[in-house]
Amino acid sequence: MVSGSHKKLYNTVLTQTFSCCGNFLFAGNTFGDVFVFSILDIVDVPNEEDAGSRISPSLGPIQVYKVTDIGQVQSLAFHKDFLIVGVAGEIRGYEWCNDSRRIKKKAWEVRIPCSPDSTELVDVNCFWLNEESDELFAGCGDSRILGIDLDGGRIFRTFEGHKDYIHSVHGFENRLYSASEDGMVKFWDFKVKKSTGYVEPFKNHELFRPQMGKWIGSVSCNENFFVCGGGPKAALWHTRTDGCTTMFPFAGAIHVTGFIDDTVLLAGQNPNVVQCSINGDITAEIPVSSPATYSVIFQTEPRKVMAIAGAHNDIDICLNFNYKDIVLKLYSGRED
């Protein structure tokens, strides 16, 4: 059994999500645990002048739920009353109770089929949830994207075309974007199994960083643009022309991208989470606890909160998206 002090020292958070009501934060890590935090508890921390940056070591999780003893919590999403958890080989739905503020029993699961010539369980690296259609899209370690009908609990479509495992999936309206270790960002129509197009950022000599490789760690999209990066530099691309319009000044590999209104969010192997304008100017830099950031999520309602996590035992909380307000502690070091 891994000791609490060992977990505290080597903890890495791979994924986070908020509850539908926006009052709870969930974080999954490499030791197979899901941590639950109350947003109400977080935002009510007093901002006393002698409290410095409002770092609160005593503000721990309200629940630590063991999902698996033999692997990682690879991806998380939340839909209706269920916390959706991706682990190697399957996607699970756990009942959530707002009143007791607890993850309860596993209610359903969808097993990920393996190829006939493989005996290894398939990693579930990332989720994108289409709330309007009750459909979940999972990027997997066998280079496939699976479309899952959450009402029926079945895989309704398999998207194939990548040549290596998927790092990130993100959608907008009827379009889906995927980023892969193979160096490609592919575009998909929800109703079509084959890709409708792709870009290869590493083939742009201004973006390619040979020392970091061609892999693409994250992609995010909105109505007019998508942003992606990994080994190649982070860049903005136009959705209609598939042309690169802006390169961003972010040192280090990219693991997280996103859009906050008219700004682009970038994070990864960097001591800061960076926000840039569409033109590439840096508008904010948030120093973070982790040397590598793997997950950044944010919401504006019912309370404005951004949660930043990665290769560290802390989760950084930003209440105005411009600087770190609170630090949450996951393991205390006393767990057995």
Side-chain angles (χ1 to χ4, degrees):
M1 177 178 285
V2 181
S3 68
S5 58
H6 179 92
K7 287 183 175 181
K8 181 179 179 181
L9 185 62
Y10 295 102
N11 192 17
T12 297
V13 175
L14 301 176
T15 179
Q16 301 178 98
T17 192
F18 292 115
S19 61
C20 290
C21 64
N23 291 328
F24 299 94
L25 166 68
F26 304 86
N29 76 347
T30 51
F31 292 113
D33 293 327
V34 172
F35 301 82
V36 186
F37 293 89
S38 166
I39 301 296
L40 293 177
D41 293 345
I42 293 170
V43 299
D44 287 342
V45 173
N47 188 11
E48 299 176 1
E49 292 183 359
D50 59 355
S53 60
R54 299 178 67 189
I55 295 177
S56 304
S58 62
L59 189 55
I62 60 175
Q63 183 185 17
V64 181
Y65 189 93
K66 173 61 69 175
V67 169
T68 176
D69 290 312
I70 58 173
Q72 305 173 341
V73 176
Q74 299 172 333
S75 44
L76 291 174
F78 200 99
H79 185 57
K80 296 181 178 177
D81 294 324
F82 294 96
L83 176 67
I84 304 172
V85 181
V87 297
E90 60 187 60
I91 297 170
R92 305 172 180 176
Y94 289 87
E95 292 181 359
W96 168 255
C97 180
N98 269 340
D99 293 337
S100 65
R101 310 201 308 177
R102 288 289 185 269
I103 301 171
K104 305 184 82 173
K105 64 181 180 179
K106 182 173 68 173
W108 54 264
E109 66 180 33
V110 176
R111 294 192 176 274
I112 308 301
C114 298
S115 62
D117 57 349
S118 176
T119 58
E120 294 185 1
L121 296 175
V122 177
D123 288 333
V124 183
N125 295 329
C126 51
F127 286 153
W128 181 71
L129 176 65
N130 187 342
E131 296 182 2
E132 294 183 359
S133 62
D134 295 333
E135 293 172 346
L136 182 74
F137 295 86
C140 298
D142 61 357
S143 77
R144 298 179 300 168
I145 302 166
L146 303 179
I148 298 164
D149 177 6
L150 293 176
D151 280 342
R154 63 182 181 87
I155 299 172
F156 70 89
R157 182 162 291 116
T158 300
F159 302 87
E160 297 180 305
H162 277 293
K163 300 175 182 178
D164 213 328
Y165 54 88
I166 312 296
H167 282 292
S168 174
V169 289
H170 194 251
F172 184 84
E173 295 181 344
N174 65 339
R175 293 176 284 126
L176 189 70
Y177 292 78
S178 57
S180 170
E181 185 73 10
D182 63 15
M184 290 190 286
V185 174
K186 282 184 171 286
F187 325 135
W188 314 82
D189 185 294
F190 288 162
K191 299 179 181 180
V192 181
K193 292 183 179 180
K194 292 185 177 181
S195 170
T196 58
Y198 65 91
V199 296
E200 296 176 291
F202 71 93
K203 291 187 175 180
N204 182 324
H205 73 277
E206 293 183 287
L207 300 178
F208 189 38
R209 296 182 287 192
Q211 72 278 15
M212 295 186 187
K214 66 180 183 179
W215 59 276
I216 302 298
S218 181
V219 62
S220 299
C221 59
N222 62 16
E223 182 178 5
N224 297 312
F225 299 99
F226 65 94
V227 59
C228 63
K233 296 177 183 178
L236 192 71
W237 302 71
H238 201 280
T239 55
R240 294 180 183 176
T241 65
D242 299 338
C244 179
T245 63
T246 308
M247 292 177 288
F248 296 107
F250 184 93
I254 300 292
H255 296 303
V256 181
T257 59
F259 288 96
I260 304 177
D261 297 327
D262 294 328
T263 64
V264 174
L265 180 144
L266 303 169
Q269 300 284 339
N270 193 298
N272 300 302
V273 169
V274 176
Q275 295 179 51
C276 298
S277 68
I278 297 296
N279 296 325
D281 298 324
I282 294 177
T283 59
E285 291 183 288
I286 305 170
V288 294
S289 300
S290 174
T293 298
Y294 298 124
S295 173
V296 181
I297 61 172
F298 55 88
Q299 64 177 21
T300 56
E301 296 291 341
R303 289 164 182 82
K304 190 173 182 178
V305 176
M306 176 185 290
I308 303 167
H312 206 275
N313 192 52
D314 296 342
I315 295 178
D316 297 325
I317 299 296
C318 307
L319 301 181
N320 67 355
F321 297 1
N322 288 320
Y323 56 84
K324 178 169 59 178
D325 293 276
I326 303 165
V327 176
L328 307 179
K329 300 291 183 180
L330 284 80
Y331 295 118
S332 66
R334 299 188 296 272
E335 296 85 355
D336 293 322

